[in-house]
Amino acid sequence: MKIIGLHCSSTDLHAGQIALIKHGSRLKNCDLYFSRKPCSTCLKMIVNAGVNRISYWPADPEISLQNEVSNPMTTDDAKLDAKAVERLKSNSRARVCVLLQPLVCYMVQFVEETSTKFDFIQKIAKSQTDFNTDFYAVCRQERIKEYESLFLISNEETHKQILMTIGLENLCENPYFSNLRQNMKDLVLVLATVAASVPVFGSFGFYNSESQQTNGTDHQGLPQEIARHCMIQARLLAYRTEDHKTGVGAIIWAEEKSRSCDGTGAMYFIGCGYNAFPVGSEYADFPHMDDKQKDREIRKFRYIIHAEQNALTFRCREIKPDERSMIFVTKCPCDECVPLIKGAGIKQIYAGDVDAGKKKADISYMKFDELEGVSKFTWQLNPLHTNALEFHDPTARENGVQKTKSLDDQQHQNKKLCLGHY
């Protein structure tokens, strides 16, 4: 399967309308995923394009129906639209369904254990002599609160009334309703856990090292909020891996010269991937071992397709040499992938560089430091504002953890761009 686009609503257009503008009849036989049930204006166009399936998040605190449930004196527009959506759903070939499925057993526990060991958290731990062991837990709890406020309706009765209004009465009875609520909470927990592994912490962020400032490459990086958000997308992809030991995710974005109608502004999606065995192979076709004590012949390294390689192979658009293109990788690109990234014409790499300059078993990371002509933005302390220009937020203390913000973060706080919220 291939992702052909990631879009979010703008001030003038809904996400569904933008998808139609960008892709048109190419949406035929595609699956669409929405963060809320599409309105009738979007749904009729999408159904007409011949899509295969439309899946959506079953509740949203911003949904206009919530105001009508709490205030019966409001207009009936939202209810009328909900009924129109239900009629379109009932009389169309496309399958329109609730997005949510139960998570695999122990998935939340696995994601939490893995996230605490990831490069970004580990790099903070190594640089902070007074690093608080509860830091990650505090960050995770904050993200859980944030995401619950964004994606969950706290009042169960209000949630039921909204589901009934949009034609999902069958989900309002137990055990269906309690299962739905639990599945939603589990997924929010996973999203928050992954987001906490790329934390907002002090002057840490994605910065170009000083040695690269004079090599003629484009060292103007993205605002930290956007870079962090893209890396979280790559982190989520890492959990699709077929590598039992190390999951790696990669996502490629580019920046157009003119601002488009999309809510992502000038940025547009090119491709994404995770590390896996060749398409169509069975579980036991290739070795999964990487123990140094074993024979090199039965190691996995020569068979795994790397995340960067899959992102380039299954991209939906070409990489244009006159536009700024960027790849976000959860780990430092290895010697196999560095020449591919440069050869593809990608202008910038965003990564953690914990493995840079090292050789592990059959995997070498020696070429990353030597790469020229491509700007490298690695997860590190801001080299320009490490101490003197850092300020502390006196209101941000929680559980003994001091949060800080750099001047760079302050400059970009009004330039936030959310690539995943519709």
Side-chain angles (χ1 to χ4, degrees):
M1 297 179 70
K2 179 169 68 175
I3 296 176
I4 67 167
L6 291 175
H7 307 290
C8 65
S9 56
S10 64
T11 53
D12 299 318
L13 293 167
H14 293 182
Q17 294 172 314
I18 290 171
L20 260 298
I21 290 172
K22 297 286 187 181
H23 305 288
S25 62
R26 292 191 299 274
L27 289 176
K28 187 174 183 179
N29 297 325
C30 286
D31 294 343
L32 273 66
Y33 298 87
F34 285 84
S35 63
R36 60 185 294 175
K37 195 171 186 177
C39 68
S40 60
T41 303
C42 293
L43 189 59
K44 65 184 179 184
M45 297 173 66
I46 292 166
V47 166
N48 192 51
V51 300
N52 176 55
R53 182 174 60 185
I54 301 162
S55 302
Y56 63 93
W57 184 252
D60 188 333
E62 295 176 357
I63 197 167
S64 53
L65 285 169
Q66 188 167 227
N67 296 328
E68 296 203 359
V69 168
S70 59
N71 184 7
M73 300 302 292
T74 57
T75 63
D76 290 332
D77 284 352
K79 292 181 181 178
L80 291 172
D81 188 77
K83 290 178 180 179
V85 166
E86 190 62 26
R87 195 165 185 174
L88 284 163
K89 170 186 171 183
S90 302
N91 293 284
S92 66
R93 292 185 299 275
R95 291 174 289 167
V96 184
C97 57
V98 171
L99 170 64
L100 222 51
Q101 295 292 330
L103 290 178
V104 176
C105 185
Y106 302 117
M107 181 67 179
V108 175
Q109 179 183 343
F110 171 71
V111 171
E112 183 176 1
E113 291 175 355
T114 308
S115 293
T116 56
K117 300 173 184 176
F118 226 84
D119 290 6
F120 307 100
I121 293 292
Q122 291 302 310
K123 203 158 190 181
I124 293 175
K126 289 177 182 177
S127 69
Q128 304 291 315
T129 54
D130 58 344
F131 186 75
N132 191 321
T133 55
D134 293 331
F135 164 72
Y136 175 77
V138 172
C139 288
R140 179 171 175 265
Q141 195 58 41
E142 288 179 350
R143 296 289 79 76
I144 290 172
K145 290 178 182 177
E146 176 189 351
Y147 287 5
E148 284 182 344
S149 67
L150 284 171
F151 302 126
L152 293 176
I153 294 176
S154 57
N155 185 283
E156 292 190 8
E157 288 304 314
T158 303
H159 191 182
K160 284 183 179 180
Q161 291 181 55
I162 290 176
L163 290 173
M164 291 176 67
T165 306
I166 62 179
L168 294 174
E169 294 89 348
N170 58 321
L171 288 179
C172 295
E173 299 295 329
N174 280 325
Y176 307 111
F177 182 72
S178 56
N179 288 342
L180 174 70
R181 294 279 296 184
Q182 188 57 52
N183 292 341
M184 293 175 76
K185 290 177 181 177
D186 287 345
L187 187 52
V188 166
L189 193 60
V190 166
L191 293 173
T193 302
V194 173
S197 68
V198 191
V200 178
F201 183 80
S203 291
F204 264 89
F206 294 96
Y207 297 105
N208 206 329
S209 63
E210 292 178 308
S211 61
Q212 299 174 38
Q213 302 292 338
T214 58
N215 67 358
T217 60
D218 177 15
H219 59 263
Q220 181 61 45
L222 290 170
Q224 292 298 324
E225 181 78 10
I226 300 175
R228 179 178 169 273
H229 189 87
C230 294
M231 187 57 72
I232 291 170
Q233 292 176 332
R235 288 278 292 113
L236 283 166
L237 282 164
Y239 286 100
R240 295 291 301 273
T241 183
E242 293 177 1
D243 185 342
H244 294 264
K245 184 178 180 183
T246 307
V248 183
I251 187 164
I252 306 172
W253 285 86
E255 199 169 40
E256 295 175 316
K257 292 191 174 181
S258 60
R259 188 177 180 85
S260 65
C261 64
D262 202 327
T264 58
M267 290 184 67
Y268 64 92
F269 172 84
I270 288 183
C272 64
Y274 52 90
N275 54 336
F277 290 103
V279 173
S281 59
E282 298 294 332
Y283 180 82
D285 283 349
F286 300 107
H288 288 250
M289 296 296 294
D290 62 354
D291 191 335
K292 293 180 181 179
Q293 303 304 314
K294 301 292 183 180
D295 190 332
R296 289 182 64 189
E297 200 172 305
I298 60 171
R299 291 184 191 169
K300 65 186 178 185
F301 301 118
R302 296 185 186 276
Y303 307 101
I304 285 278
I305 311 294
H306 297 189
E308 302 94 317
Q309 296 166 2
N310 273 322
L312 289 168
T313 301
F314 296 105
R315 66 186 185 273
C316 62
R317 297 176 68 166
E318 292 306 311
I319 299 168
K320 299 178 182 178
D322 59 336
E323 293 181 351
R324 179 167 68 158
S325 50
M326 56 210 84
I327 185 168
F328 298 82
V329 191
T330 55
K331 293 184 70 67
C332 176
C334 70
D335 291 357
E336 266 190 54
C337 295
V338 164
L340 293 173
I341 293 170
K342 182 176 181 179
I346 292 175
K347 301 291 194 302
Q348 298 178 345
I349 297 175
Y350 289 79
D353 67 343
V354 170
D355 292 327
K358 297 179 182 177
K359 188 170 183 179
K360 296 183 173 182
D362 285 354
I363 294 287
S364 171
Y365 300 91
M366 307 299 288
K367 292 183 179 179
F368 182 72
D369 283 338
E370 302 167 5
L371 179 63
E372 295 182 358
V374 181
S375 292
K376 302 190 291 290
F377 295 87
T378 55
W379 180 254
Q380 60 179 302
L381 282 169
N382 185 341
L384 302 178
H385 307 293
T386 305
N387 295 311
L389 297 180
E390 188 180 65
F391 70 91
H392 294 264
D393 181 358
T395 65
R397 289 184 180 270
E398 185 176 351
N399 293 347
V401 176
Q402 174 68 59
K403 293 182 188 176
T404 60
K405 296 180 180 179
S406 71
L407 290 184
D408 278 3
D409 294 330
Q410 188 181 30
Q411 291 169 359
H412 294 309
Q413 65 182 355
N414 294 323
K415 299 179 182 178
K416 292 182 179 179
L417 172 61
C418 184
L419 303 178
H421 295 172
Y422 289 75

